[in-house]
Amino acid sequence: SAAAGAAADAMRDAARRRTMSATDELPHVAEGRSGARIEVELPARIIACDGRAYDATIRNISRGGVLVHLAAAHAVALLPNTAREQPRLPVGVRLEFRLPAAPHDAAVAIDCGIAHLRRMAAGQGAMGLGFRRFHAGSEHALARFCAM
């Protein structure tokens, strides 16, 4: 029945919460991911809504998002205040990068939401970005890359 299914889901969720430590990454990004992650090391730029650009390195990519490594100072600049007026609306940025299979093509440009941020080491952070809107031709270029 539906009630039994809901109860089973609640028990699984409770068990998952008990086994997570304070340093574990939150699972909401993984659950919403579309497609398998491809491990890469691609230089990228993250452009804030005010136009400032920050260097980053894409560490894995899927058809739904990326994990980037960047300087902790850049992460702080992109997320200066966590007490936003709309806390459930992710901070928006634009991600630009070139795919190794097509280095002479135009850069891939995607509007993204910052899904999560975690500290990697002193001075470095990891940021998960979920794709929102692809700029001209970027969605097809990424689909071809992810299908390789």
Side-chain angles (χ1 to χ4, degrees), residues 3-125:
D9 288 343
M11 287 173 51
R12 277 193 298 275
D13 289 344
R16 190 178 313 126
R17 281 192 297 274
R18 281 194 301 271
T19 59
M20 290 180 66
S21 74
T23 58
D24 287 342
E25 184 176 325
L26 295 176
H28 71 277
V29 173
E31 291 171 2
R33 183 175 290 115
S34 62
R37 285 185 278 185
I38 300 167
E39 300 296 320
V40 295
E41 190 163 338
L42 299 173
R45 288 183 344 139
I46 299 173
I47 296 108
C49 19
D50 64 6
R52 288 180 294 161
Y54 302 94
D55 291 332
T57 302
I58 298 173
R59 299 310 304 254
N60 70 51
I61 191 167
S62 73
R63 293 183 72 176
V66 296
L67 178 71
V68 297
H69 287 185
L70 71 166
H74 295 169
V76 170
L78 289 164
L79 286 170
N81 181 6
T82 57
R84 300 185 310 273
E85 291 179 23
Q86 297 178 324
R88 294 184 192 270
L89 182 64
V91 171
V93 296
R94 187 173 73 237
L95 177 69
E96 295 179 350
F97 60 97
R98 293 195 183 279
L99 292 167
H104 301 292
D105 289 356
V108 171
I110 307 167
D111 293 335
C112 304
I114 298 175
H116 68 85
L117 174 66
R118 78 185 144 104
R119 185 180 201 131
M120 297 295 295
Q124 187 168 27

